[in-house]
Amino acid sequence: MSTLIFVQVLLLGLKVTEATTDTWRQCADLVPLDLLSFVLERDTSRLAPGVHMEEAGGLRGVHFSSPDSSVSFPSSQLLVNCDLFPKEFSMVLTLRVTRNAAKRNEYIFSLMEPRNVQKRAVNEREEDRGATLERNKEQSIIGEEQQREKKQVKGDEQHGRIILGLKLSEKRLHFVFKGHAGVIKHWVFRGIQLADNQWHTLVLAVGSHHVRLTVDCNSPLEIIPSGPFPSDLNIQGSRFHIGSRGRWKGLFSGLLRQLVLVPGSDATHQICPSSDPHIAALSVPPRLLDLPVVRSSSHRHGASYDTEERVSVGLERPCAELHQGQLWFNPLKKGLYLCDGTTWITVLEDHKRLDYVLEHQVLTTSSETHDVEIFQVPGVGLMAAMAHRSTAFGSAVYLWTKKGFQLYQNISTYGALAWRHFTVGKKIFLVVSNSEGAPDSRLSSDSDYSVIYKWSKRRKQFVQFQTLKTHCARDWEAFSIHRHTYLAVANHRQGNNNHTINSVIYKWNGLAKSFEVHQLLPTSGAYDWEFFMVGPYHFLVVANAFDGVTTSVDSVIYVWINGSFQVFQTIKTFCATDWEMFQIGSRVFLVVANGHRLHGNGPSQYTINSTIYELDIGGQLFVRFQDIVTYRWQGYEGFVPIHWLPTIGCSDWEFFSSKGESYLIYSSAKAPLSKVFMLKTY
């Protein structure tokens, strides 16, 4: 929850103007999100207003007596660092519906637009709604049902426009979402017998061109709609409403036990087959578990010592003195754990682990290599751009084949230090950092030049696009803010001695079709840029390595405010060469790679740790979390070494996958070769 709270209080008092957030980041690579637990577990001391726990059929469920605001929350609190709803996902829900509910339209959940958005759009959308609905009729929406839904759509506009939701009506389950041009679409499953006062578990799996519904692990029902689920469904400022659409009309009258959003995958195979398919569980809120299992009456001799036997099923569970002796089953890890009063002890666990590493390919290169960049070109395949030191041979782009990487294209470079792949719309680019003198006489002698290359679909090669003046550029970072594309270059030094210079933020000019200088930022021997987001806020951190005297310099975290980057925090580093941001659960981390200590003419000290910083809520800054040499996340242990690999002057590592296999490639700054390793798991 630390990141969630931080997003709300970050930059308080800095007068950040509220702007339309058009970063258009797709929600992907997220873990399953337990919507019901998020509502019930926010305050464990009491139930939210309008929510009651009821028992039926030996199981607990939630009954909603009102659409209280406490059972809704901003989507950004769970769908972090993204603005577009996942284009592929599944919903897992367990519910119990009364027979009376079959006569009404009731929402199990909904995702609603902010009201300020719907007020601006309602008049325009209502004008062309009739014609558009006629053009985009779904075969499953006919007759009187269509008229009822039109009225309901109008009601949705008056009370907050619906983005998507799941609705029950008589023997039907409706998946409702906002389609092209804002038209509300209904994908309807008919003949669904849910209103029978029994528990049922449903998995709704939405793909790019199909939608499937699995009820109680039976054979799935499938709809192939006339158009795909939108890949640009904007959720900025939206709110989840559990058990309603934010109003009394359509309030869910049944019991809800499970409601999980699984981005990017079909969760059917995670819970099915099941020994009890009506209540198959992926993640059930802890409050709805812990019903005592009464032992057999024949066990009379031990009656006075009977205790509650509890097995909790879900993705995360607390372990404290209150939970001592409780068992927890994690369906994703396929693990069974026992709470000893403080921590979970593994009883059984089945998951993949890194077993060993195979040398897959030794790639002979034209010279030593400073950097390797892995990227995809649609219709061509996986590629690797290697920054070779040699001016005579230049650098090379390789294509991944069945035999490994094969030479695809040579590109003239001059002491290349780094490549960066990025896109502007559908255009594909590569930018290279050159560190040696420019043959172009138009550039001054104390400057180098970096070159942007554009992928030519006709020639199926990269061609020179634009030249930019740089100073021993060590890194490029490409990112997008409010639909605008930016490039940040890390200028390391000007000449041989001047390290305290400006690095540059470039902005894409769509009219001129080129990059232009947007902002200058002072840096000291800059080595690396890292762009990241926390909620709606955009950050850029620079790794400063040397100021001309010492490697003990401040690296700087910037935040985007009013159209430019401003200093957010400075952190003392020692010849910092790289920053990386990552998240584990809801926790946000920054790790810096420190090189060595040096001051003046004194000796260099290479016995130095790199450091991981974690985002702190109260202080609104990154604080030291752990010092490391090499790392892998190991839960409470933090990061520990896991494998050592033989390398020759390793300058860069990149991970990639192909056809279900995982690989590592490293580049050598001391030998004309690179190696590809295959990772084997068990």
Side-chain angles (χ1 to χ4, degrees), residues 508-514 516:
W508 173 258
N509 184 325
L511 296 177
K513 297 187 184 305
S514 63
E516 300 176 347

Side-chain angles (χ1 to χ4, degrees), residues 572-646:
K572 184 69 68 178
T573 54
F574 303 92
C575 192
T577 58
D578 189 27
W579 282 100
E580 294 293 335
M581 176 270 189
F582 60 95
Q583 291 184 250
I584 299 176
S586 60
R587 301 167 69 181
V588 178
F589 297 89
L590 272 177
V591 57
V592 61
N594 287 317
H596 63 278
R597 293 175 185 264
L598 172 67
H599 186 81
N601 296 323
S604 294
Q605 299 177 16
Y606 289 93
T607 306
I608 187 171
N609 289 325
S610 294
T611 304
I612 301 171
Y613 297 87
E614 183 178 6
L615 196 59
D616 176 66
I617 311 167
Q620 299 181 22
L621 77 169
F622 287 89
V623 297
R624 183 187 299 269
F625 172 73
Q626 184 183 356
D627 291 323
I628 55 173
V629 178
T630 184
Y631 53 88
R632 190 191 96 177
W633 182 252
Q634 284 283 76
Y636 289 109
E637 298 175 30
F639 289 87
V640 299
I642 185 65
H643 270 276
W644 286 264
L645 297 174

Side-chain angles (χ1 to χ4, degrees), residues 483-494:
R483 281 188 173 180
H484 295 288
T485 301
Y486 297 86
L487 278 176
V489 61
N491 284 325
H492 185 64
R493 69 173 186 272
Q494 187 172 358

Side-chain angles (χ1 to χ4, degrees), residues 132-146:
T132 307
L133 279 175
E134 288 299 321
R135 291 194 303 269
N136 297 280
K137 283 182 182 178
E138 295 294 338
Q139 294 180 355
S140 58
I141 306 175
I142 56 176
E144 296 180 357
E145 183 183 35
Q146 185 181 30

Side-chain angles (χ1 to χ4, degrees), residues 143-293:
E144 296 180 357
E145 183 183 35
Q146 185 181 30
Q147 298 303 318
R148 291 197 302 269
E149 289 168 352
K150 284 183 180 179
K151 293 179 181 179
Q152 183 168 315
V153 166
K154 184 175 180 180
D156 287 341
E157 289 180 336
Q158 295 171 348
H159 294 270
R161 175 81 172 181
I162 192 166
I163 296 176
L164 61 83
L166 203 57
K167 182 182 71 170
L168 276 173
S169 65
E170 185 176 1
K171 296 182 180 180
R172 295 176 177 89
L173 181 71
H174 306 246
F175 176 57
V176 186
F177 63 91
K178 185 172 69 172
H180 180 67
V183 175
I184 301 301
K185 309 279 282 185
H186 290 247
W187 289 348
V188 183
F189 291 92
R190 300 174 179 277
I192 307 298
Q193 300 289 344
L194 297 178
D196 56 2
N197 286 326
Q198 301 295 321
W199 288 105
H200 296 284
T201 294
L202 286 63
V203 181
L204 177 73
V206 178
S208 56
H209 296 284
H210 68 269
V211 58
R212 296 189 183 97
L213 178 68
T214 302
V215 180
D216 300 334
C217 291
N218 290 314
S219 298
L221 304 174
E222 183 170 357
I223 292 177
I224 301 179
S226 58
F229 182 77
S231 61
D232 59 350
L233 192 56
N234 196 329
I235 58 172
Q236 298 176 56
S238 62
R239 293 185 69 88
F240 278 107
H241 293 266
I242 310 302
S244 75
R245 55 191 172 110
R247 51 185 298 204
W248 283 93
K249 187 176 181 180
L251 183 68
F252 182 57
S253 63
L255 297 180
L256 188 61
R257 178 174 172 82
Q258 179 177 216
L259 183 63
V260 185
L261 168 64
V262 185
S265 65
D266 184 347
T268 306
H269 301 297
Q270 297 181 27
I271 65 171
C272 297
S274 171
S275 60
D276 200 345
H278 290 77
I279 56 172
L282 179 63
S283 183
V284 176
R287 283 174 175 263
L288 302 182
L289 300 168
D290 303 344
L291 280 179
V293 178

Side-chain angles (χ1 to χ4, degrees), residues 638-659:
F639 289 87
V640 299
I642 185 65
H643 270 276
W644 286 264
L645 297 174
T647 60
I648 303 173
C650 177
S651 57
D652 188 29
W653 282 101
E654 289 292 335
F655 169 84
F656 66 96
S657 58
S658 176
K659 296 183 179 179

